Amino acid sequence: MKIVAKKKLWKYLFWLGPFLITVGLTVGLVSEQWGLIPLVFLITGIVISGLGIIWQSYQTNWWNRRSTQAGTNALVVTLAILAILGLINFLGTRYHLRADLTESQLFTLAPQSRELVSVLPQPVKVWVFDINQNPQDRELLENYQRQSSKFKYEYINPEARPGLAEKFGVKNYGEVYLESGDKRQLVQTINENERLSEIRLTSRLQQLTNLSTAKVYLLQGHGERQLSAGKGAMSQAVQGLGDKNFTTAPLNLAETSKVPQDAAVVIVAGPKRELFQGEVNALQQYLNRGGNLLLMIDPNTDPKLNSLLQEWGVRLDNRLAVDVSGESVVGRGPAAPLVTEYGQHPITKDFGNGNSFYPISRPLEITSVPGVEATPLLRTKPYPSSWAESDLQSEKLEFNADKDLKGPLTLGVALTRKQIPKSTSTPQALTTPSPLPSPTTQSKTSSNSSAKTPQALPLPSPTTQGKTSPNSSAKTPQALPSPTSQGKTSPNSSAKTPQALPSPTTTPSSPPTSQTTTESRLVVLGNSNFATDGLFQQQLNGDVFLNSVTWLSKQDQQPLSIRPKEPKNRRITLTTTQANLLIVSSLLVLPLIGLSAAVIIWWKRR
């Protein structure tokens, strides 16, 4: 009886071990503090369980049983599976591998966003002041955070933390702020109808992290597109430039007669009247000193820019670009060419075969010019899908082989030209200085000559005489007279006296003037309607404009514009007959087929 009672006691003590282990785990998980108490329970339970297993094995030869071996194998396999699953979860948390199977990559950041976030110079944080956390917005923020450890985000309930909300100046629920260092900027206000935008977030992120700003001037005074909201205006384009950290301002060359020195880009958008020759000269001078110009010229206009464009090998064709391939798709008629073919250029490198359209456009003719590198940006489809129409009065557009031009047509081109500034003449330095000339030394020049003396020149020997032929100009005289010497010139000559002379022992040296090469950039588009309000945000139209300005500004470190991602319309439009057939087939025919197959199988088995 004592032996039986002793065995039962060890059996109860054995179950005490798992109980203590469970208590220790529960205390630690609930309190989230693995202090002394949970550790004592865990250690005691493990020790009791171990002793119980050892005693049970000693008493009943437990380890040699077949059931024990099978149970041990099952336990080992279970632990191995759990370890493998834990390792997979650890690797999944540490290394992200995601596959976006949507056609337009709706759940993947644009390359421009990934490039910008991956090279963040300092930590940034997004504050979302809202009660509800939209899964779509969280997914977008998670995508940003996966690109860099310097990007963080946090949702804040304005009612729970009113002090923080007041610090940011929050007025409404759904306001999203971007913070970097001591700088804060409002991104947008989200609600049920407007979710967090990747375009706005990346633009604000670029503004916050980029310290440099570029000034863009838009020419006015010739019927160009107005900058404020209105019919045919470019207010959305101007806002897009502001989102990309550009500063815009109007420019009237008739008043200033010169392009400002701080102009990174000058835009001429759809002038209806001709420019004065002085304005054209000002634009040419601006390009010659390394400026950047965007010309958007509509058909049926002559801004008198032919002299400027001729230097770059561009000619504006007076015919109308016609494209009948996208008439049914765009819904704007054949006079709105649909472009899906783009040149290999930084402006259009990420466009692929995306769509952009240009209502009422004129083609461009490009000829080769030495020193100018031209890259076509926009090209229409080949004939017979597109051609250049010369008869603009006819209501029915038809190709005329005698007057019209077969496609493909070039609607836009990007050009670059190296500018080498002219070097100024520099006086040569003598290797061996000589004493000042004697009082009898005379500098003689013939009639109609001009002697110009710089402020510091090497000194000649006493017997040196500088003689020049008629109608010549001597910029560096070889002899300078003493205070008592006599300088004789003809009545039409001009003599200038230096302000300071070097000492006889001084050997001045004038290093050759270094020539720095600058690059001028020019983008010519045969249309300005594509960038107007209402069309700017459709398809790739806005990207063509913003990417052109970004490339012209030579801010190569800035990402180009981001195209909005739109899901493809895959809906099927059914007629009434087709819909009724689908209902009958799904509710009646298919169930009857399945039931008949089941009855046949049952009958055969029977």
Side-chain angles (χ1 to χ4, degrees):
M1 293 295 295
K2 292 182 178 180
I3 296 175
V4 174
K6 189 175 182 180
K7 289 182 178 180
K8 289 183 177 181
L9 178 62
W10 277 107
K11 185 177 181 180
Y12 295 146
L13 288 176
F14 173 77
W15 287 108
L16 181 62
F19 173 77
L20 294 177
I21 294 175
T22 304
V23 172
L25 292 175
T26 303
V27 173
L29 293 175
V30 172
S31 64
E32 296 183 354
Q33 295 180 358
W34 298 92
L36 180 61
I37 295 177
L39 290 178
V40 168
F41 279 111
L42 286 174
I43 294 173
T44 305
I46 292 172
V47 171
I48 293 176
S49 298
L51 292 175
I53 292 173
I54 294 174
W55 181 83
Q56 185 71 18
S57 175
Y58 175 75
Q59 292 292 328
T60 61
N61 199 15
W62 183 62
W63 287 106
N64 295 327
R65 293 181 181 179
R66 187 173 182 180
S67 60
T68 303
Q69 294 177 356
T72 304
N73 292 335
L75 179 62
V76 171
V77 171
T78 302
L79 294 177
I81 293 174
L82 292 176
I84 293 173
L85 292 177
L87 181 61
I88 292 174
N89 280 276
F90 171 76
L91 295 176
T93 305
R94 192 77 175 266
Y95 306 98
H96 299 281
L97 179 61
R98 304 171 72 249
D100 189 353
L101 302 180
T102 58
E103 183 178 1
S104 56
Q105 300 294 296
L106 292 174
F107 306 104
T108 304
L109 290 181
Q112 298 90 332
S113 300
R114 296 198 299 267
E115 178 183 355
L116 178 64
V117 178
S118 61
V119 294
L120 285 175
Q122 57 186 352
V124 297
K125 187 171 184 179
V126 175
W127 300 86
V128 184
F129 292 90
D130 201 357
I131 299 176
N132 302 318
Q133 300 185 17
N134 185 273
Q136 181 180 344
D137 297 341
R138 286 187 63 91
E139 178 66 21
L140 178 61
L141 294 172
E142 288 286 349
N143 286 340
Y144 276 94
Q145 188 169 280
R146 292 187 184 100
Q147 307 303 320
S148 174
S149 59
K150 295 182 180 180
F151 186 95
K152 303 293 181 182
Y153 74 92
E154 184 176 353
Y155 276 85
I156 300 296
N157 185 352
E159 296 181 355
R161 301 179 65 180
L164 185 61
E166 183 179 358
K167 176 182 177 181
F168 280 84
V170 177
K171 298 180 180 178
N172 300 304
Y173 287 103
E175 291 187 2
V176 181
Y177 285 85
L178 191 63
E179 182 182 33
S180 177
D182 57 349
K183 296 185 294 185
R184 303 183 186 91
Q185 190 172 19
L186 176 65
V187 178
Q188 70 178 108
T189 301
I190 58 177
N191 50 52
E192 295 181 355
N193 300 323
E194 184 179 2
R195 304 317 316 166
L196 186 60
S197 170
E198 179 188 351
I199 299 176
R200 294 188 180 182
L201 184 54
T202 298
S203 298
R204 296 296 187 272
L205 187 63
Q206 180 178 341
Q207 292 180 17
L208 203 63
T209 56
N210 185 24
L211 301 179
S212 63
T213 59
K215 192 70 171 289
V216 176
Y217 286 93
L218 293 98
L219 191 66
Q220 298 288 290
H222 316 88
E224 291 88 353
R225 303 287 179 180
Q226 67 181 36
L227 309 184
S228 57
K231 184 178 180 180
M234 294 181 57
S235 61
Q236 293 179 346
V238 172
Q239 181 181 355
L241 290 175
D243 292 340
K244 293 185 68 62
N245 214 28
F246 288 103
T247 304
T248 58
L251 173 64
N252 193 331
L253 287 177
E255 297 177 352
T256 60
S257 72
K258 186 179 180 181
V259 177
Q261 292 291 336
D262 62 345
V265 182
V266 174
I267 301 176
V268 182
K272 295 181 174 60
R273 296 182 295 273
E274 63 183 49
L275 278 67
F276 294 114
Q277 186 59 41
E279 295 176 300
V280 178
N281 294 338
L283 293 177
Q284 289 177 319
Q285 294 173 3
Y286 171 65
L287 287 173
N288 291 337
R289 69 171 189 254
N292 311 285
L293 184 62
L294 172 59
L295 298 178
M296 300 188 295
I297 312 299
D298 296 316
N300 297 325
T301 59
D302 185 12
K304 300 299 181 182
L305 292 170
N306 294 334
S307 59
L308 183 149
L309 294 174
Q310 187 177 4
E311 297 179 359
W312 293 76
V314 180
R315 191 182 76 85
L316 300 174
D317 198 312
N318 293 324
R319 288 170 285 198
L320 178 67
V322 175
D323 182 9
V324 297
S325 64
E327 182 177 359
S328 60
V329 178
V330 180
R332 294 182 177 271
L338 178 68
V339 173
T340 58
E341 181 181 345
Y342 305 94
Q344 296 297 323
H345 193 270
I347 295 177
T348 55
K349 65 177 181 179
D350 295 326
F351 285 3
N353 59 348
N355 298 322
S356 59
F357 58 97
Y358 305 87
I360 316 298
S361 301
R362 69 193 310 168
L364 309 174
E365 293 185 11
I366 313 299
T367 57
S368 178
V369 174
V372 176
E373 180 180 353
T375 304
L377 297 177
L378 313 170
R379 294 181 68 86
T380 63
K381 295 179 176 60
Y383 178 82
S385 296
S386 69
W387 68 88
E389 177 65 41
S390 58
D391 187 3
L392 306 182
Q393 304 300 327
S394 177
E395 296 181 359
K396 187 177 182 180
L397 300 176
E398 294 180 349
F399 177 75
N400 189 333
D402 298 333
K403 300 179 180 179
D404 299 339
L405 177 66
K406 292 183 179 181
L409 307 174
T410 300
L411 303 183
V413 62
L415 308 104
T416 59
R417 184 175 67 183
K418 301 294 183 180
Q419 304 290 346
I420 302 178
K422 297 180 180 180
S423 59
T424 58
S425 59
T426 307
Q428 300 292 331
L430 295 179
T431 55
T432 305
S434 302
L436 289 173
S438 63
T440 60
T441 304
Q442 296 179 348
S443 174
K444 300 179 181 180
T445 59
S446 62
S447 60
N448 299 327
S449 64
S450 174
K452 297 181 180 180
T453 307
Q455 295 181 2
L457 292 176
L459 298 178
S461 61
T463 59
T464 304
Q465 293 181 350
K467 299 180 180 180
T468 57
S469 61
N471 301 325
S472 64
S473 175
K475 295 184 178 180
T476 310
Q478 298 181 3
L480 291 178
S482 63
T484 59
S485 64
Q486 298 176 356
K488 299 180 181 180
T489 60
S490 61
N492 296 327
S493 63
S494 174
K496 295 185 178 180
T497 305
Q499 297 180 3
L501 294 177
S503 62
T505 58
T506 304
T507 307
S509 62
S510 299
T513 305
S514 61
Q515 297 182 352
T516 58
T517 303
T518 60
E519 183 182 72
S520 298
R521 296 182 177 183
L522 173 66
V523 173
V524 184
L525 304 174
N527 178 265
S528 66
N529 290 315
F530 79 98
T532 56
D533 296 351
L535 300 180
F536 179 80
Q537 295 180 343
Q538 294 191 25
Q539 301 298 324
L540 298 177
N541 287 13
D543 292 342
V544 173
F545 177 81
L546 294 177
N547 286 5
S548 298
V549 177
T550 302
W551 177 75
L552 286 171
S553 66
K554 302 174 183 175
Q555 299 189 39
D556 297 333
Q557 73 277 10
Q558 292 195 17
L560 301 179
S561 64
I562 304 171
R563 301 188 302 276
K565 300 175 182 178
E566 300 177 357
K568 296 292 184 180
N569 186 2
R570 299 300 185 188
R571 292 177 292 183
I572 301 176
T573 303
L574 301 177
T575 63
T576 304
T577 304
Q578 292 172 337
N580 293 333
L581 180 61
L582 181 62
I583 293 173
V584 171
S585 62
S586 59
L587 298 181
L588 184 60
V589 177
L590 292 179
L592 286 177
I593 292 175
L595 181 61
S596 301
V599 171
I600 292 172
I601 294 173
W602 172 80
W603 181 262
K604 286 185 175 182
R605 289 185 176 181
R606 181 178 177 275

